[in-house]
Amino acid sequence: NAGVTQTPKFQVLKTGQSMTLQCAQDMNHNSMYWYRQDPGMGLRLIYYSASEGTTDKGEVPNGYNVSRLNKREFSLRLESAAPSQTSVYFCASSEVTRGNTEAFFGQGTRLTVV
Amino acid sequence: GNSVTQMEGPVTLSEEAFLTINCTYTATGYPSLFWYVQYPGEGLQLLLKATKADDKGSNKGFEATYRKETTSFHLEKGSVQVSDSAVYFCALRGGSNYKLTFGKGTLLTVNP
């Protein structure tokens, strides 16, 4: 089982460039999430999608946009990358029919903006 | 809003030592509580969870008990191994909230 798949695994961008991080899950989950992980900050929620067709801002949405393309796929776009967006990005999915279900994470995308 | 506070690391132990990583939370209602583990270069994996007060989650020798009276969910292991070296995250999901809230993570290093 693939679970949650993120691409690419590594990326280097120049300041001002744009890119899209891709995420797909094969567990038929309704909810999907994008987090960023920075040293000493833990994981911070960027955006989430409670179900297909909906998206909502998390703690740190500025500089990002998302698209819930279908139930499987949830992409994160950086329109004009900045050095402050250097981070490790994780996509996750969960089935939230009950509040106690855990999230499943992808392997992460390590992004460096120079 | 919801928040999670866990002990800051790094924590360095010798093999077979006892481990405790403290986690306390603030949430309305009755959240579900989780411990995730992140091995070097990998994503997060669920280690254990508890969904109501006094529940004990356990997995791979790790345990944590949901203490509503002290709003805590401390992670313990009686005898750590080198392979337990990783970052550990405490997290909660509150009621019908779709979002997981994480602590800042605790880096554990176990030396032979």
Side-chain angles (χ1 to χ4, degrees):
Chain A
N1 291 333
V4 180
T5 303
Q6 291 182 234
T7 56
K9 287 187 167 49
F10 301 94
Q11 183 70 50
V12 179
L13 291 179
K14 294 182 179 178
T15 298
Q17 286 186 317
S18 63
M19 80 161 293
T20 299
L21 281 64
Q22 306 287 352
C23 175
Q25 53 93 7
D26 62 2
M27 295 172 282
N28 203 36
H29 287 164
N30 284 320
S31 299
M32 298 185 73
Y33 312 82
W34 277 106
Y35 289 88
R36 61 177 288 174
Q37 183 180 24
D38 302 292
M41 301 295 292
L43 273 78
R44 293 181 291 171
L45 183 64
I46 305 171
Y47 270 93
Y48 67 104
S49 172
S51 61
E52 186 179 356
T54 68
T55 61
D56 287 285
K57 295 178 180 179
E59 300 173 66
V60 289
N62 291 345
Y64 305 95
N65 285 300
V66 291
S67 296
R68 184 73 183 266
L69 305 169
N70 48 55
K71 192 171 186 180
R72 291 187 65 248
E73 298 172 288
F74 188 42
S75 62
L76 178 72
R77 182 160 178 83
L78 287 71
E79 289 291 352
S80 179
S84 60
Q85 294 178 305
T86 293
S87 188
V88 181
Y89 291 85
F90 288 100
C91 178
S93 71
S94 68
E95 187 55 53
V96 193
T97 53
R98 301 183 310 277
N100 62 354
T101 52
E102 67 269 28
F104 295 82
F105 284 80
Q107 294 294 294
T109 296
R110 187 173 294 275
L111 175 67
T112 302
V113 183
V114 298
Chain B
N2 297 337
S3 67
V4 175
T5 302
Q6 64 181 101
M7 67 184 283
E8 296 195 16
V11 174
T12 302
L13 296 173
S14 298
E15 208 165 23
E16 300 184 1
F18 184 85
L19 169 71
T20 300
I21 301 178
N22 290 338
C23 172
T24 57
Y25 67 89
T26 302
T28 55
Y30 301 92
S32 295
L33 302 173
F34 307 87
W35 277 101
Y36 281 83
V37 59
Q38 183 182 31
Y39 298 105
E42 299 186 10
L44 278 73
Q45 305 173 27
L46 180 69
L47 181 59
L48 53 84
K49 68 179 182 182
T51 60
K52 61 183 187 295
D54 300 324
D55 266 3
K56 178 185 284 187
S58 61
N59 186 27
K60 299 182 181 179
F62 291 89
E63 294 183 339
T65 301
Y66 187 163
R67 301 287 189 200
K68 190 163 178 62
E69 64 275 13
T70 55
T71 61
S72 65
F73 192 54
H74 304 322
L75 182 69
E76 296 182 338
K77 187 174 185 181
S79 176
V80 294
Q81 305 300 311
V82 172
S83 57
D84 294 327
S85 298
V87 180
Y88 292 82
F89 291 93
C90 186
L92 71 82
R93 189 197 300 275
S96 60
N97 194 318
Y98 292 98
K99 297 179 287 186
L100 269 174
T101 300
F102 285 88
K104 293 186 177 181
T106 302
L107 173 62
L108 170 66
T109 302
V110 181
N111 294 319

